[in-house]
Amino acid sequence: MGNIVYVRLRKKVDMTSYRPVLLKDIAYLACSITLKEKLETLPLHYITKKDKNIIVIDGFVVIEKIAESFPAVEVQLIGPPQTIITIITKKRKPPLWMVAGIWVLLFVGAAMAIMNFHYDVSMEAVHQKLHFMLTGEQKKHPVWIQIPYSIGLGLGMILFFNHVFNKKINEEPSPLEVEVFKYQQSMDSYVAVNENKVENNDDNHSS
């Protein structure tokens, strides 16, 4: 019996240049040290501009490449069935005026959303009623309630999103990060399935 190599593909890999994709770039290997050194430099795919920004390397491609170069090696594939490679190109920083414009747009939009919500639920009337219940007098603008409420609203949003600018308050993911993670998982699944369909169609046409 030949040597056995256990291959666990990474689920997703980011690459920043057009170069050959080596086995060590997308997989973890478990085998003898000598065999591992040879397998790690095995090229699987050559990235070109035709690949655009997403490449899916299937586990069967990995097995075929290893079998071609090392016929005596038995491959045991564990983990994800494919690896998604994202090609990250250098992007120019947006101009300051664009950043400022987007910031103002988001700020005004968020402020309008909060104001409309408070108007719909009659928050001003609630503050007035609360002031009357606590003090026994009518007041149109109970600022001693409104100011702490406004501050608490901002602090609550910071705690909810678990971020102060670029710094996280604690290690727990924010609800926004969880939703982005779920969205990314759905995108990865779609890309993997769609890529496999394209490859299958190409194989059928070629045959």
Side-chain angles (χ1 to χ4, degrees), residues 147-167:
I147 292 176
Y149 172 79
S150 300
I151 296 174
L153 183 64
L155 292 176
M157 294 299 291
I158 292 175
L159 294 175
F160 179 78
F161 288 104
N162 195 24
H163 271 83
V164 179
F165 296 104
N166 291 331
K167 295 182 178 180

Side-chain angles (χ1 to χ4, degrees), residues 175-189:
L176 182 60
E177 289 174 328
V178 173
E179 291 301 321
V180 171
F181 176 75
K182 291 180 180 179
Y183 171 77
Q184 189 62 53
Q185 280 191 319
S186 300
M187 286 291 294
D188 292 343
S189 299

Side-chain angles (χ1 to χ4, degrees), residues 63-74:
I63 295 175
E64 288 177 354
K65 292 290 185 179
I66 296 176
E68 289 176 4
S69 302
F70 304 91
V73 173
E74 180 183 350

Side-chain angles (χ1 to χ4, degrees), residues 54-66:
I54 294 179
I55 304 170
V56 177
I57 297 183
D58 195 80
F60 286 103
V61 174
V62 176
I63 295 175
E64 288 177 354
K65 292 290 185 179
I66 296 176

Side-chain angles (χ1 to χ4, degrees), residues 4-5 23 27 40 50 63 71 73 78 88 92 104-105 149 156 170 172 174 178 189 195 204:
I4 299 177
V5 55
L23 183 57
E40 284 182 338
K50 294 182 180 180
I63 295 175
V73 173
I78 59 177
I88 301 176
R92 291 182 295 179
V104 171
L105 182 65
Y149 172 79
N170 53 53
E172 294 182 1
S174 66
V178 173
S189 299
E195 183 71 14
N204 292 333

